[in-house]
Amino acid sequence: MSRPFLVSGMALQKETQDVFLLSLHLFSKLLSLESQWVAVELDFAKDMYELHRKVNPNEVIVGWWATGHEITDHSLLIHDYYSRVTNNPIHLTVDTTLHGGRMNIKGYVSASMGVPGRTPGTMFAPIPVEVISYSPEIVGTNVTQKSKYNRQRLVEPTTDLNQISEATQSMEATLDILISYVEDVLSTKVSADNYIGRELTRMVNQVPKMSAHDFEEMLNTNMKDLLMVIYLSQLTKVNVGLNEKLTMLVATQ
């Protein structure tokens, strides 16, 4: 009977950033689990980290991650190893089994506990985790998600103007839901949520203070810049095509 394996790896952080980057290096068979012991290929993990450092010298180890939706008995043994590698390591669990209907990512740090003068114990205390995406990643993910509405799982890339139109429509739909919620709270149809209220206040404070004229002028300027970029890209495409045809015509003569 084959032994169960748990996919795990290191969590790396750029030295110049406050938010660490989760690098999902799939170290093949990094952990071999048994009922009483856990085998970790430390040499393999060390070699992979040294190779990674040659390409990304600014990234350091801040913890480790593992698949699963909860802390197991083997987590303490692995966490003890990373405690010798870095100070106060972070442990992340990535629920690839979709326990609860979604792939949750939870973070933990270890804390000592016990009676003074006795053998101390260790407990995992949860910490907040926030997933941050870059704008190009969001655009790519949104396009990929459209394939679920196609039987062939195919999706055609759209133009920049279509993406702006879709983003505007999505924003309008979200604002309609938000306005409806605020009106229901004001009319006491639903009870107010303090968390939503704080988030709305934070969102409103982030809106730049400008007049309607300044906002319209800024929007028109950005739109003109976008149209200019599209025009230049199309012009370049036409010039390249014309150059190819002229080259072929000269070559045939």
Side-chain angles (χ1 to χ4, degrees):
M1 183 176 64
S2 61
R3 298 170 180 167
F5 289 100
L6 174 68
V7 180
S8 178
M10 299 177 182
L12 306 178
Q13 174 191 21
K14 287 189 176 180
E15 297 176 345
T16 58
Q17 292 184 352
D18 295 332
V19 180
F20 73 89
L21 303 177
L22 176 61
S23 300
L24 297 182
H25 298 295
L26 299 182
F27 298 158
S28 177
K29 298 183 180 180
L30 179 63
L31 306 181
S32 178
L33 305 181
E34 289 288 351
S35 58
Q36 300 295 334
W37 55 271
V38 53
V40 184
E41 297 181 7
L42 300 180
D43 294 336
F44 177 73
K46 182 180 178 181
D47 294 339
M48 293 295 296
Y49 175 63
E50 291 178 353
L51 290 174
H52 183 81
R53 286 276 291 180
K54 292 181 179 180
V55 182
N56 303 277
N58 295 327
E59 294 187 3
V60 295
I61 299 175
V62 295
W64 66 288
W65 62 271
T67 54
H69 65 277
E70 61 183 2
I71 301 295
T72 64
D73 296 337
H74 308 95
S75 300
L76 183 59
L77 300 175
I78 307 169
H79 198 79
D80 180 66
Y81 162 73
Y82 283 97
S83 298
R84 298 191 295 268
V85 176
T86 182
N87 184 28
N88 195 18
I90 298 172
H91 174 39
L92 292 176
T93 58
V94 183
D95 183 13
T96 55
T97 61
L98 303 182
H99 182 80
R102 57 177 301 179
M103 189 176 71
N104 289 319
I105 300 177
K106 299 180 180 179
Y108 303 90
V109 292
S110 61
S112 299
M113 60 175 294
V115 180
R118 301 291 182 178
T119 303
T122 303
M123 64 174 293
F124 286 92
I127 58 175
V129 176
E130 181 180 0
V131 179
I132 301 176
S133 302
Y134 297 103
S135 298
E137 295 176 338
I138 297 176
V139 174
T141 303
N142 292 338
V143 174
T144 305
Q145 287 181 347
K146 294 180 182 179
S147 62
K148 63 184 178 182
Y149 302 109
N150 191 317
R151 289 185 177 181
Q152 298 178 348
R153 296 296 185 264
L154 298 177
V155 57
E156 294 291 336
T158 59
T159 62
D160 294 338
L161 291 178
N162 288 337
Q163 293 181 9
I164 294 176
S165 177
E166 293 176 358
T168 303
Q169 294 176 1
S170 176
M171 184 183 300
E172 289 180 353
T174 304
L175 288 175
D176 291 338
I177 297 175
L178 181 60
I179 292 174
S180 176
Y181 170 77
V182 173
E183 291 177 349
D184 291 341
V185 171
L186 294 177
S187 61
T188 65
K189 291 182 180 180
V190 296
S191 57
D193 191 314
N194 294 332
Y195 174 76
I196 297 179
R198 289 191 296 268
E199 290 297 317
L200 288 176
T201 302
R202 183 178 63 85
M203 181 181 63
V204 171
N205 292 333
Q206 290 179 348
V207 176
K209 296 178 174 60
M210 62 176 63
S211 62
H213 174 73
D214 295 336
F215 178 77
E216 184 177 359
E217 183 178 358
M218 180 189 66
L219 182 62
N220 292 334
T221 301
N222 293 334
M223 187 64 67
K224 292 178 182 178
D225 294 340
L226 177 60
L227 292 175
M228 179 60 68
V229 172
I230 295 176
Y231 171 75
L232 292 176
S233 62
Q234 293 293 336
L235 182 61
T236 303
K237 183 178 179 180
V238 172
N239 289 335
V240 172
L242 182 60
N243 182 57
E244 290 178 354
K245 292 182 179 180
L246 291 176
T247 303
M248 293 178 61
L249 180 62
V250 172
T252 55
Q253 291 182 354

